[in-house]
Amino acid sequence: MPRKLPNPIDVHVGARVRMRRMLIAMSQEKLGESLGLTFQQVQKYEKGTNRIGASRLYQIGSVLGVPIEYFFEGVESGETGDGPFEPGASAGFDMDVLSTAEGIQLNSAFFAITDAKLRKRILDLVKTLGGMADEAEMAEDGKLLVS
């Protein structure tokens, strides 16, 4: 019998747990201690291997300082996990990248910049370095529809 893949919504919720935990610089061990779990159990939650029950999700939200809704941001309304679903796809970004240490650091450093014009110039630079500048300019001009 082939191994069953985790439900995509469980994977999404787990990725949001990981992202929030990393944003507040909390280790898996520390989160596990706060919940009365091992760090291995936290890892399984974060990978979506083990489903997080409602009461446990409430506990996790309390420990991480976010409401339960936070874990479902980016999930399209009406998605049940039975059909095609790509976590983060509707938000236009890759959750896997944002959940890495580098992604968290980059995001935190970027939003620590208080000057909006400087943030825009940095974003333009990053787009240019990533080869996305032409697409972004065309999208702003209305010549390209970005989904």
Side-chain angles (χ1 to χ4, degrees), residues 6-15 45-52:
N7 182 291
I9 293 179
D10 294 333
V11 173
H12 179 84
V13 169
Y45 283 156
E46 290 182 356
K47 290 180 183 177
T49 306
N50 286 5
R51 184 169 284 174
I52 304 173

Side-chain angles (χ1 to χ4, degrees), residues 2 6 17 48 57 78 85 99 105 135:
V17 169
L57 190 59
F85 172 74
S99 296
Q105 291 172 357
E135 287 183 23

Side-chain angles (χ1 to χ4, degrees), residues 50-121:
N50 286 5
R51 184 169 284 174
I52 304 173
S55 59
R56 179 71 72 199
L57 190 59
Y58 182 83
Q59 273 185 304
I60 292 170
S62 295
V63 171
L64 297 179
V66 292
I68 290 176
E69 297 84 23
Y70 168 85
F71 302 109
F72 296 96
E73 288 175 6
V75 174
E76 284 293 319
S77 179
E79 288 290 347
T80 63
D82 296 332
F85 172 74
E86 295 179 38
S90 63
F93 56 85
D94 184 351
M95 287 294 292
D96 291 339
V97 172
L98 280 181
S99 296
T100 65
E102 285 178 334
I104 299 291
Q105 291 172 357
L106 180 62
N107 196 33
S108 296
F110 181 77
F111 286 107
I113 300 168
T114 57
D115 184 341
K117 288 181 183 179
L118 180 57
R119 275 196 316 268
K120 171 81 170 98
R121 291 182 68 196

Side-chain angles (χ1 to χ4, degrees), residues 127 132-146:
K127 286 178 180 178
M132 295 176 51
D134 293 335
E135 287 183 23
E137 288 172 13
M138 289 174 63
E140 288 177 8
D141 292 340
K143 297 176 185 171
L144 176 71
L145 293 176
V146 179

Side-chain angles (χ1 to χ4, degrees), residues 12-23:
H12 179 84
V13 169
R16 297 288 292 176
V17 169
R18 176 176 165 77
M19 185 169 68
R20 177 61 184 170
R21 178 183 59 75
M22 292 180 75
L23 275 170

